Amino acid sequence: MSRCLILFLLFSSFSVQGKMVKKIEKVMYYKYMFGHLHQNPSKYSTSLTTIGCAHPLRVYSVKTSGSKPRMVFNKEWYFVKAGPYEGYIRSQQLSRRKPKCFQDKYPKFVDQFDMEISDMYNWGRLYDLYLFKRTRVR
């Protein structure tokens, strides 16, 4: 009897936590050469996939049970979908319009790199760790 009660409570707690309603808000494009879709809203979290410049991403607003719908997480991360993967990406890495990409402008030059998957991954990690800020020198 106690085992049944414990299993019931365990499954009911998962069903309450698991209710997440997603709604597509807009489509945005990745604007740097390579980047990553992250599992959590942190630049150190696990990478789900590597994306390239001008890759379209569907931006979702997420509503969990008992809360308001929200689109921005940790002040700068969007919840997006890229192909079969759903994850987080920084808002400053996205553009509303399709950007003009270096690899589209100079395809013969980029093809000479003979990039492998690991090279694209490392280049994407580099863009994750960059800080794009303006300095004020007096």
Side-chain angles (χ1 to χ4, degrees), residues 34 50 113-125:
F34 294 106
T50 302
F113 291 155
D114 289 329
M115 294 181 70
E116 296 179 5
I117 301 256
S118 60
D119 297 329
M120 290 184 233
Y121 173 83
N122 290 327
W123 207 327
R125 288 296 296 160

Side-chain angles (χ1 to χ4, degrees), residues 58-75:
R58 288 177 279 187
V59 178
Y60 287 93
S61 65
V62 178
K63 181 182 184 217
T64 56
S65 58
S67 68
K68 294 181 181 178
R70 59 188 222 175
M71 205 164 59
V72 179
F73 298 87
N74 287 353
K75 299 180 183 176

Side-chain angles (χ1 to χ4, degrees), residues 23-74:
K23 179 183 170 192
I24 296 176
E25 293 293 329
K26 55 189 166 185
V27 174
M28 297 182 83
Y29 300 93
Y30 190 75
K31 66 181 180 181
Y32 298 121
M33 193 170 268
F34 294 106
H36 289 274
L37 188 66
H38 293 275
Q39 186 175 7
N40 299 314
S42 168
K43 64 182 176 182
Y44 303 112
S45 72
T46 304
S47 172
L48 299 174
T49 187
T50 302
I51 54 177
C53 184
H55 189 92
L57 301 164
R58 288 177 279 187
V59 178
Y60 287 93
S61 65
V62 178
K63 181 182 184 217
T64 56
S65 58
S67 68
K68 294 181 181 178
R70 59 188 222 175
M71 205 164 59
V72 179
F73 298 87
N74 287 353

Side-chain angles (χ1 to χ4, degrees), residues 37 57-60 78-82 85-87 89 94:
L37 188 66
L57 301 164
R58 288 177 279 187
V59 178
Y60 287 93
Y78 282 139
F79 184 73
V80 300
K81 184 171 184 176
Y85 300 103
E86 290 181 343
I89 196 162
L94 300 177

Side-chain angles (χ1 to χ4, degrees), residues 87-103:
Y88 298 89
I89 196 162
R90 277 194 176 154
S91 58
Q92 69 241 24
Q93 294 178 339
L94 300 177
S95 172
R96 289 187 182 271
R97 295 184 183 176
K98 190 172 180 179
K100 296 179 181 177
C101 300
F102 181 79
Q103 56 261 53

